[in-house]
Amino acid sequence: MFRTVALTLVAAGSAGYLRSNVTQSSVHQVSSLSFYQEEPQCQCMANNAAWKKSSRAEAKCIFIDLGAADGNTFAKFIENDYGPVKNCPNGQWEAFLVEANPQFTKELNALQENFPGQVHSLPEHAAFSCEGSTSFFIDVDASHNHWGSSLFSDAPDAVKSGKVKVTVPMVNIIQLIAENVHPDDWVMLKVDIEGAEYNLLPCLAQFKDAGLVDRMYLEEHWWFPSITESSKSALAESKKQLAAMHVDIPKYYSAS
């Protein structure tokens, strides 16, 4: 089985556009977003009876890449750096690529076209715990593939870049999981979202089916000025809660 294979940890990535049966709802749970410089106007949505579960019959690998950039981490996935793809359940896989930086839209759309029915790209969408819109600050340095772009206006590379910003919609990653994952899938969630993990993970830990995620590759941006000690504590607690739901969280660092 795929889950028994030792995996090599690799770099980070970016996004695309998914046509899904997303439903609006007033159901929400309170989550503090006070550490954002320009606060997204929505709150944690961890559970919603209106979300429609996948009707897919066959299990497969699901690779969810948050901070997909130009698809560089997805390339590592199909090159077997996250485990032999041939060992996926039924030899099948799908990938969801989420990236807020509009500089990667062309590449992500091309991946979706090249892998029809397998790659679902959500370019120009920020990974978050609810739906809405937000400012997104661009790292303009192409020499490191714009890796420091962030929802945080005080993110180091955003500051260096003069706080160049765009407005993008946010996609609720918990809803994406709830509506696209089968219980027998092998699910890999890569989280390299430049500080937004301090919002996403505490909300994900409230998701009643968080155990659908088998392995999470998480990069923590603890050095950002806006990340408070209480935010760090909340993230640490959410990791414990997810581990108790059998989510494997190995040490991970992305070099891009």
Side-chain angles (χ1 to χ4, degrees):
M1 293 297 292
F2 193 88
R3 67 189 62 211
T4 65
V5 179
L7 303 183
T8 303
L9 306 184
V10 292
S14 236
Y17 179 78
L18 171 68
R19 300 175 185 85
S20 68
N21 49 359
V22 173
T23 54
Q24 298 294 328
S25 172
S26 59
V27 179
H28 66 270
Q29 299 179 17
V30 174
S31 176
S32 173
L33 305 180
S34 61
F35 47 80
Y36 287 95
Q37 298 294 308
E38 301 201 7
E39 188 170 305
Q41 299 301 307
C42 68
Q43 293 176 315
C44 165
M45 174 81 70
N47 297 282
N48 189 333
W51 293 346
K52 297 180 181 179
K53 293 184 178 181
S54 171
S55 59
R56 172 166 47 84
E58 287 193 324
K60 58 180 67 176
C61 284
I62 302 292
F63 185 72
I64 303 172
D65 188 353
L66 310 183
D70 56 2
N72 50 5
T73 306
F74 167 72
K76 296 294 184 181
F77 165 70
I78 60 174
E79 291 168 359
N80 302 314
D81 280 14
Y82 286 82
V85 174
K86 67 179 182 180
N87 289 352
C88 286
N90 301 300
Q92 298 184 49
W93 60 266
E94 283 186 57
F96 297 86
L97 311 180
V98 184
E99 173 58 47
N101 191 336
Q103 292 166 303
F104 297 124
T105 298
K106 180 179 178 181
E107 291 89 344
L108 292 171
N109 284 340
L111 286 171
Q112 181 167 283
E113 292 175 5
N114 292 338
F115 295 91
Q118 288 182 291
V119 170
H120 311 280
S121 290
L122 293 88
E124 300 180 38
H125 280 69
F128 211 63
S129 62
C130 53
E131 293 182 313
S133 62
T134 185
S135 294
F136 184 76
F137 296 87
I138 306 296
D139 174 4
V140 300
D141 190 347
S143 68
H144 55 223
N145 207 30
H146 313 283
W147 65 17
S149 301
S150 175
L151 293 178
F152 287 83
S153 64
D154 66 351
D157 289 312
V159 173
K160 290 178 185 176
S161 299
K163 299 187 179 181
V164 176
K165 69 178 181 178
V166 296
T167 300
V168 297
M170 298 181 295
V171 58
N172 186 342
I173 299 306
I174 301 162
Q175 181 174 359
L176 186 152
I177 294 168
E179 295 190 327
N180 292 282
V181 169
H182 185 281
D184 293 329
D185 290 339
W186 171 255
V187 181
M188 293 159 279
L189 175 63
K190 192 217 81 178
V191 183
D192 185 8
I193 47 179
E194 303 299 315
E197 67 272 14
Y198 288 89
N199 170 276
L200 176 60
L201 262 67
C203 190
L204 178 61
Q206 298 177 47
F207 176 35
K208 64 182 180 64
D209 295 322
L212 288 170
V213 177
D214 293 285
R215 182 161 292 156
M216 179 168 61
Y217 299 97
L218 170 67
E219 182 168 329
E220 300 176 36
H221 299 83
W222 51 265
W223 62 90
F224 283 17
S226 292
I227 304 301
T228 65
E229 290 304 315
S230 64
S231 297
K232 294 175 186 177
S233 296
L235 184 74
E237 180 60 27
S238 67
K239 288 167 63 178
K240 291 179 182 178
Q241 293 171 331
L242 290 167
M245 289 184 273
H246 308 292
V247 180
D248 181 33
I249 311 175
K251 291 184 178 180
Y252 179 76
Y253 171 74
S254 168
S256 66

